[in-house]
Amino acid sequence: MLLIICPIMAFCSTDAEVTIEVINQTALVNKCFVGDAIITFNNIELYNENVKFSYHIYDEEGNILVFENERIPFSLQGNVATISLNIDFDKYEQLKRKNKFVVKLDLVDEQNIYWFGDNAHINFKPYYIQYDLNTVSIAKQKYGQVIKNQKGILIMNIVFDITIVILFFMYKKKQR
């Protein structure tokens, strides 16, 4: 079972000329993505001020649902840029009845008129996010985030819950 937000693959390798990675992503129950995208230009010649961050949305079979989306400008610090994202997918009519879809994070060069993901002459490694909004996936994602980010609090809650259950049974046993 897939999670609400889980990377299919980050595809980040040292031989890629340009990569996109995602960090600090937050799983939300609705069709929304919050996180930071890190764009790395290992070939700085591919960057110009008209390169923008964007994304494409596909169905489970890989058919395009929404191709043209907002374009987010960014500037490099050295050869890296970080973009804070808050993308609301509920605004897309094509996704109203969809509980599963794939988002491909991409770059577009508006000066030279091409998408990095479609340009065979660039070794570009995009980032994919798989959405699965069924109830089981939502529960797995929520607990997965807690286990990953808040292990100490989770352990304390489990110990507390077990203690309460034991005390309850001891109390009931004394009542008899």
Side-chain angles (χ1 to χ4, degrees):
M1 195 60 70
L2 298 172
L3 301 176
I4 295 173
I5 302 175
C6 67
I8 293 172
M9 296 182 129
F11 294 115
C12 294
S13 64
T14 55
D15 63 338
E17 294 176 290
V18 181
T19 62
I20 298 178
E21 296 179 77
V22 171
I23 60 170
N24 301 327
Q25 67 187 31
T26 303
L28 300 175
V29 177
N30 58 6
K31 292 179 182 172
C32 188
F33 176 80
V34 176
D36 294 326
I38 298 177
I39 303 164
T40 305
F41 279 80
N42 294 317
N43 180 351
I44 202 73
E45 293 174 7
L46 294 172
Y47 175 76
N48 64 63
E49 291 182 2
N50 291 308
V51 173
K52 307 283 191 287
F53 176 89
S54 190
Y55 53 91
H56 314 294
I57 305 170
Y58 302 87
D59 66 13
E60 297 173 84
E61 291 79 34
N63 301 310
I64 294 173
L65 296 173
V66 185
F67 192 80
E68 294 289 333
N69 294 295
E70 69 179 305
R71 278 131 183 203
I72 302 168
F74 62 90
S75 57
L76 294 179
Q77 302 294 326
N79 70 329
V80 177
T82 302
I83 301 171
S84 294
L85 302 173
N86 188 346
I87 305 169
D88 182 7
F89 297 112
D90 275 333
K91 66 184 177 185
Y92 297 104
E93 191 63 37
Q94 300 91 323
L95 302 178
K96 292 290 185 201
R97 292 186 174 86
K98 298 276 185 194
N99 286 328
K100 294 182 180 183
F101 55 94
V102 177
V103 179
K104 176 184 175 185
L105 304 183
D106 202 348
L107 300 174
V108 60
D109 185 335
E110 294 180 332
Q111 176 177 311
N112 297 305
I113 312 171
Y114 64 82
W115 288 91
F116 279 59
D118 293 338
N119 189 326
H121 302 291
I122 297 175
N123 187 353
F124 174 63
K125 302 300 179 188
Y127 192 90
Y128 295 88
I129 303 164
Q130 177 93 28
Y131 277 79
D132 185 347
L133 299 173
N134 70 46
T135 306
V136 174
S137 294
I138 292 169
K140 282 184 178 181
Q141 178 61 26
K142 284 191 167 290
Y143 288 113
Q145 290 291 324
V146 169
I147 290 168
K148 181 179 176 184
N149 299 324
Q150 302 170 348
K151 288 178 187 164
I153 294 172
L154 178 64
I155 291 169
M156 288 174 40
N157 279 319
I158 291 171
V159 169
F160 178 78
D161 292 345
I162 292 171
T163 303
I164 294 297
V165 170
I166 291 170
L167 290 174
F168 176 75
F169 281 113
M170 290 173 57
Y171 175 75
K172 283 295 199 177
K173 191 174 183 179
K174 282 185 180 180
Q175 293 290 326
R176 293 182 184 170

